[in-house]
């Protein structure tokens, strides 16, 4: 079941209620059990996730180096607030508390790539690069 859920996550970027119901029907496992597994693992999302994931670190070390301004710029540029996905499903923006690389803060992770000492201009370039990869 877990491998099928991961396959769904990989292909659709999230696991819908309909997908869980279909899986339940095929595997003859109650939807509640599948839902419990899917909601347990961080690698699985029960709400739509964009093709590109952007994460702004809001830990203390990054905050003293301008992380709030960076988050504001990113939200403005994408037209969404943290925790949301753009209407074209291109971007999902999240915040985290520390990425473990405080010395290069403020830090942004874009599609699993870490970017350190990011300022507003650099974040715009990162987002433009991601958008052009879509
Ligand atoms: S506080 Fe941002 S990486 Fe640690």
């Amino acid at each position: 079941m877990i491998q099928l859920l991961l396959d769904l996550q990989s292909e659709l970027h999230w696991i819908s209620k309909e997908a869980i119901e279909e899986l339940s029907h095929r595997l003859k496992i109650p939807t509640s059990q599948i839902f419990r597994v899917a909601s347990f693992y961080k690698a699985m999302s029960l709400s739509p996730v964009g093709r590109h994931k952007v994460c702004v670190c809001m830990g203390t070390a990054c905050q003293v180096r301008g992380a709030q301004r960076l988050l504001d710029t990113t939200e403005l540029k994408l037209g969404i607030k943290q925790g949301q996905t753009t209407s074209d499903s291109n971007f999902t923006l999240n915040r985290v508390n520390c990425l473990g690389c405080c010395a290069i803060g403020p830090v942004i992770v874009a599609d699993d790539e870490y970017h350190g000492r990011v300022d507003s201009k650099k974040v715009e370039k990162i987002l433009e690069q991601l958008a052009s990869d879509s």
Side-chain angles (χ1 to χ4, degrees):
M1 179 201 337
I2 291 174
Q3 188 55 55
L4 290 172
L5 287 169
L6 288 170
D7 289 348
L8 280 169
Q9 176 69 41
S10 174
E11 190 172 321
L12 306 172
H13 306 289
W14 73 295
I15 301 165
S16 67
K17 181 180 167 217
E18 292 76 18
I20 288 177
E21 287 169 353
E22 177 68 24
L23 211 54
S24 168
H25 177 72
R26 287 184 183 210
L27 299 177
K28 300 188 183 346
I29 296 173
T31 54
S32 59
Q33 194 175 333
I34 297 172
F35 179 80
R36 215 172 23 250
V37 170
S39 60
F40 178 78
Y41 291 103
K42 187 102 175 142
M44 300 174 195
S45 175
L46 296 171
S47 56
V49 177
R51 281 179 285 281
H52 300 292
K53 294 166 209 67
V54 177
C55 220
V56 178
C57 181
M58 296 299 289
T60 305
C62 285
Q63 282 210 38
V64 298
R65 295 185 177 121
Q68 185 61 57
R69 194 169 44 249
L70 214 51
L71 181 61
D72 292 344
T73 301
T74 309
E75 288 180 338
L76 194 66
K77 184 81 178 165
L78 295 177
I80 55 173
K81 294 289 182 189
Q82 65 90 18
Q84 296 180 331
T85 297
T86 56
S87 58
D88 60 5
S89 298
N90 248 354
F91 292 95
T92 294
L93 175 62
N94 283 304
R95 59 182 283 169
V96 292
N97 289 328
C98 182
L99 292 161
C101 49
C102 310
I104 60 166
V107 180
I108 278 186
V109 180
D111 287 349
D112 299 326
E113 188 176 337
Y114 284 60
H115 301 269
R117 297 187 179 91
V118 180
D119 57 17
S120 296
K121 280 189 176 176
K122 195 169 175 182
V123 79
E124 286 187 21
K125 280 186 184 170
I126 292 166
L127 295 176
E128 284 166 13
Q129 179 64 47
L130 290 174
S132 70
D133 291 347
S134 296

